[in-house]
Coordinates of all heavy atoms in Angstrom, one line a residue:
E91 N -51.6 -20.5 7.9 CA -51.2 -20.0 9.3 C -51.6 -18.6 9.5 O -51.8 -18.2 10.7 CB -49.7 -20.1 9.4 CG -49.2 -21.5 9.3 CD -49.6 -22.4 10.5 OE1 -50.0 -21.7 11.6 OE2 -49.7 -23.6 10.5
N92 N -51.8 -17.8 8.5 CA -52.2 -16.5 8.7 C -53.7 -16.3 9.1 O -54.2 -15.3 9.5 CB -52.1 -15.6 7.4 CG -50.6 -15.5 7.1 OD1 -49.7 -15.4 7.9 ND2 -50.3 -15.4 5.7
R94 N -55.2 -18.5 11.4 CA -55.4 -19.0 12.7 C -54.2 -18.7 13.6 O -53.1 -18.4 13.1 CB -55.6 -20.5 12.6 CG -54.5 -21.3 12.0 CD -54.8 -22.8 12.2 NE -53.7 -23.6 11.7 CZ -53.7 -24.3 10.5 NH1 -54.7 -24.3 9.8 NH2 -52.6 -25.0 10.2
K95 N -54.4 -18.9 14.9 CA -53.4 -18.5 15.9 C -52.7 -19.7 16.5 O -52.2 -19.6 17.6 CB -54.0 -17.6 17.0 CG -54.7 -16.3 16.5 CD -53.6 -15.4 15.7 CE -54.2 -14.1 15.2 NZ -53.3 -13.3 14.5
W96 N -52.8 -20.8 15.7 CA -52.0 -22.0 16.3 C -51.4 -22.7 15.2 O -51.6 -22.4 14.0 CB -53.0 -22.9 17.0 CG -54.2 -23.4 16.2 CD1 -55.4 -22.8 16.2 CD2 -54.3 -24.5 15.3 NE1 -56.2 -23.5 15.3 CE2 -55.6 -24.5 14.8 CE3 -53.4 -25.5 14.9 CZ2 -56.0 -25.5 13.9 CZ3 -53.8 -26.4 14.0 CH2 -55.1 -26.4 13.5
A97 N -50.4 -23.6 15.5 CA -49.6 -24.3 14.4 C -49.2 -25.6 15.0 O -49.3 -25.9 16.3 CB -48.4 -23.4 14.1
Q214 N -51.2 -24.3 23.0 CA -51.6 -23.1 22.3 C -53.0 -22.7 22.5 O -53.4 -21.5 22.4 CB -51.3 -23.2 20.8 CG -49.8 -23.4 20.5 CD -49.7 -23.8 19.0 OE1 -49.6 -22.9 18.1 NE2 -49.5 -25.1 18.7
E546 N -39.2 -20.2 4.8 CA -38.5 -20.0 6.0 C -39.3 -19.1 7.0 O -39.4 -19.4 8.2 CB -37.1 -19.4 5.7 CG -36.3 -19.1 7.0 CD -35.0 -18.5 6.8 OE1 -34.7 -18.1 5.7 OE2 -34.2 -18.3 7.7
N547 N -39.8 -17.9 6.5 CA -40.4 -17.0 7.3 C -41.7 -17.6 8.0 O -42.0 -17.4 9.2 CB -40.9 -15.7 6.6 CG -39.6 -14.9 6.3 OD1 -38.6 -14.9 7.0 ND2 -39.7 -14.0 5.3
D548 N -42.4 -18.4 7.3 CA -43.6 -19.1 7.8 C -43.2 -20.1 8.9 O -43.8 -20.1 10.0 CB -44.2 -20.0 6.6 CG -45.4 -20.9 7.2 OD1 -46.3 -20.3 7.7 OD2 -45.1 -22.1 7.1
L549 N -42.1 -20.8 8.7 CA -41.6 -21.7 9.8 C -41.1 -21.0 11.0 O -41.4 -21.4 12.1 CB -40.4 -22.6 9.2 CG -40.0 -23.8 10.0 CD1 -41.2 -24.6 10.6 CD2 -39.1 -24.7 9.3
L550 N -40.5 -19.8 10.8 CA -40.1 -19.0 12.0 C -41.3 -18.6 12.8 O -41.2 -18.6 14.0 CB -39.2 -17.8 11.5 CG -37.9 -18.0 10.8 CD1 -37.2 -16.7 10.6 CD2 -37.0 -19.0 11.5
E551 N -42.3 -18.2 12.1 CA -43.5 -17.8 12.8 C -44.1 -18.9 13.6 O -44.5 -18.8 14.8 CB -44.6 -17.2 11.8 CG -44.2 -15.9 11.3 CD -45.2 -15.3 10.3 OE1 -46.3 -15.9 10.2 OE2 -44.9 -14.3 9.7
R552 N -44.1 -20.1 13.0 CA -44.8 -21.2 13.7 C -43.9 -21.7 14.9 O -44.4 -22.1 15.9 CB -44.9 -22.4 12.7 CG -46.0 -22.2 11.6 CD -46.4 -23.3 10.9 NE -45.4 -23.9 10.0 CZ -45.0 -25.1 9.9 NH1 -45.5 -26.0 10.8 NH2 -44.1 -25.5 9.0
I553 N -42.6 -21.6 14.7 CA -41.7 -21.9 15.8 C -41.9 -20.9 17.0 O -42.0 -21.3 18.2 CB -40.2 -22.0 15.4 CG1 -40.0 -23.1 14.5 CG2 -39.3 -22.0 16.6 CD1 -38.6 -23.0 13.8
S554 N -42.1 -19.7 16.7 CA -42.3 -18.7 17.7 C -43.6 -19.0 18.5 O -43.7 -18.9 19.7 CB -42.4 -17.3 17.1 OG -41.3 -16.9 16.5
R555 N -44.6 -19.5 17.8 CA -45.9 -19.8 18.4 C -45.8 -21.1 19.2 O -46.2 -21.1 20.4 CB -47.0 -19.9 17.4 CG -47.4 -18.6 16.7 CD -48.6 -18.9 15.8 NE -48.9 -17.7 15.0 CZ -49.5 -16.6 15.4 NH1 -50.0 -16.5 16.7 NH2 -49.9 -15.6 14.6
V556 N -45.3 -22.1 18.6 CA -45.4 -23.4 19.3 C -44.4 -23.6 20.4 O -44.7 -24.0 21.4 CB -45.2 -24.6 18.2 CG1 -45.2 -26.0 18.8 CG2 -46.3 -24.5 17.1
E557 N -43.2 -23.2 20.1 CA -42.1 -23.5 21.1 C -42.0 -22.3 22.1 O -41.8 -22.7 23.3 CB -40.7 -23.5 20.3 CG -39.5 -23.6 21.3 CD -39.5 -24.7 22.2 OE1 -40.1 -25.8 21.9 OE2 -38.8 -24.6 23.2
Y558 N -42.2 -21.1 21.7 CA -42.0 -20.1 22.7 C -43.3 -19.4 23.2 O -43.2 -18.5 24.0 CB -41.1 -19.0 22.1 CG -39.7 -19.6 21.6 CD1 -39.4 -19.8 20.3 CD2 -38.8 -19.8 22.7 CE1 -38.1 -20.2 20.0 CE2 -37.6 -20.3 22.3 CZ -37.2 -20.5 21.0 OH -36.0 -21.1 20.6
G559 N -44.4 -19.8 22.7 CA -45.6 -19.2 23.2 C -45.7 -17.8 22.9 O -46.4 -17.0 23.6
D560 N -45.1 -17.3 21.8 CA -45.1 -15.9 21.4 C -46.3 -15.6 20.5 O -46.3 -16.0 19.2 CB -43.8 -15.6 20.6 CG -43.8 -14.3 19.9 OD1 -44.5 -13.4 20.4 OD2 -43.0 -14.2 19.0
C561 N -47.3 -14.9 21.0 CA -48.5 -14.6 20.2 C -48.2 -13.7 19.0 O -48.9 -13.7 18.0 CB -49.5 -14.0 21.1 SG -50.2 -15.1 22.3
S562 N -47.1 -12.9 19.1 CA -46.8 -12.0 18.0 C -46.1 -12.8 16.8 O -46.0 -12.2 15.8 CB -45.8 -10.9 18.5 OG -44.5 -11.4 18.8
A563 N -45.6 -14.0 17.2 CA -45.0 -14.8 16.1 C -43.6 -14.1 15.6 O -43.3 -14.3 14.5 CB -45.9 -15.2 15.0
R564 N -43.0 -13.3 16.3 CA -41.9 -12.5 15.9 C -40.5 -12.9 16.5 O -39.5 -12.5 16.1 CB -42.1 -11.0 16.1 CG -43.2 -10.5 15.3 CD -43.4 -9.0 15.7 NE -42.2 -8.2 15.4 CZ -41.8 -7.2 16.1 NH1 -42.3 -6.9 17.2 NH2 -40.6 -6.6 15.7
F565 N -40.6 -13.7 17.6 CA -39.4 -13.9 18.4 C -38.3 -14.5 17.6 O -37.2 -13.9 17.7 CB -39.8 -14.8 19.6 CG -38.6 -15.2 20.5 CD1 -38.2 -14.3 21.5 CD2 -38.0 -16.4 20.4 CE1 -37.2 -14.5 22.3 CE2 -36.8 -16.7 21.3 CZ -36.4 -15.7 22.2
V566 N -38.5 -15.6 16.9 CA -37.4 -16.3 16.2 C -36.9 -15.4 15.1 O -35.7 -15.3 14.8 CB -37.9 -17.6 15.7 CG1 -36.6 -18.3 15.0 CG2 -38.3 -18.5 16.9
A567 N -37.7 -14.6 14.4 CA -37.3 -13.8 13.3 C -36.4 -12.7 13.9 O -35.4 -12.3 13.3 CB -38.5 -13.1 12.6
L568 N -36.7 -12.2 15.1 CA -35.8 -11.1 15.7 C -34.5 -11.8 16.1 O -33.4 -11.1 16.0 CB -36.5 -10.6 16.9 CG -37.6 -9.6 16.6 CD1 -38.4 -9.2 17.9 CD2 -37.1 -8.3 16.0
L569 N -34.5 -13.0 16.6 CA -33.3 -13.7 16.9 C -32.5 -13.9 15.7 O -31.2 -13.7 15.7 CB -33.6 -15.1 17.5 CG -32.4 -15.9 18.0 CD1 -31.7 -15.1 19.1 CD2 -32.9 -17.2 18.6
R570 N -33.1 -14.2 14.6 CA -32.4 -14.3 13.2 C -31.7 -13.0 12.8 O -30.6 -12.9 12.4 CB -33.3 -14.8 12.2 CG -32.7 -14.9 10.8 CD -33.7 -15.0 9.7 NE -34.7 -13.9 9.7 CZ -35.7 -13.9 8.9 NH1 -35.9 -14.9 8.0 NH2 -36.5 -12.8 8.9
N571 N -32.5 -11.9 13.0 CA -32.0 -10.6 12.7 C -30.8 -10.2 13.5 O -29.9 -9.6 13.0 CB -33.1 -9.6 12.8 CG -34.2 -9.8 11.8 OD1 -34.1 -10.6 10.8 ND2 -35.4 -9.1 12.0
D655 N -36.7 -4.6 20.6 CA -37.8 -5.2 20.1 C -38.2 -6.5 20.7 O -39.4 -6.9 21.0 CB -37.7 -5.4 18.6 CG -37.7 -4.0 17.9 OD1 -38.0 -3.0 18.4 OD2 -37.1 -4.0 16.7
I656 N -37.2 -7.2 21.1 CA -37.4 -8.6 21.6 C -37.8 -8.6 23.1 O -38.4 -9.5 23.6 CB -36.2 -9.6 21.3 CG1 -36.7 -11.0 21.1 CG2 -35.1 -9.5 22.5 CD1 -35.5 -11.9 20.5
P658 N -40.0 -7.0 25.2 CA -41.3 -7.1 25.6 C -42.0 -8.4 25.2 O -42.9 -8.9 25.9 CB -42.1 -5.9 24.9 CG -41.2 -5.5 23.8 CD -39.8 -5.8 24.3
I659 N -41.5 -8.9 24.0 CA -42.0 -10.3 23.6 C -41.6 -11.3 24.6 O -42.4 -12.2 25.1 CB -41.5 -10.6 22.2 CG1 -42.1 -9.6 21.2 CG2 -41.9 -12.0 21.8 CD1 -41.5 -9.7 19.8
A660 N -40.3 -11.3 24.9 CA -39.7 -12.3 25.9 C -40.4 -12.2 27.2 O -40.6 -13.2 27.9 CB -38.3 -12.1 26.0
H662 N -43.4 -11.7 27.9 CA -44.7 -12.3 28.0 C -44.7 -13.9 27.7 O -45.7 -14.5 27.7 CB -45.6 -11.6 27.0 CG -46.1 -10.2 27.4 ND1 -45.4 -9.1 27.1 CD2 -47.2 -9.9 28.2 CE1 -46.0 -8.0 27.7 NE2 -47.1 -8.5 28.3
M663 N -43.5 -14.4 27.3 CA -43.3 -15.8 27.0 C -43.3 -16.6 28.2 O -43.5 -17.8 28.1 CB -42.1 -16.0 26.1 CG -42.1 -15.3 24.8 SD -40.9 -15.8 23.6 CE -39.4 -16.0 24.6

Side-chain angles (χ1 to χ4, degrees):
E91 290 296 334
N92 295 325
R94 61 171 183 253
K95 300 300 183 182
W96 54 268
Q214 296 169 82
E546 181 183 7
N547 288 336
D548 171 69
L549 190 49
L550 297 187
E551 290 180 4
R552 291 197 287 130
I553 294 171
S554 295
R555 292 186 187 280
V556 177
E557 171 61 23
Y558 298 107
D560 168 26
C561 294
S562 75
R564 296 177 61 218
F565 180 78
V566 183
L568 286 169
L569 184 60
R570 175 193 61 185
N571 295 346
D655 293 341
I656 211 168
I659 294 172
H662 288 90
M663 292 190 326

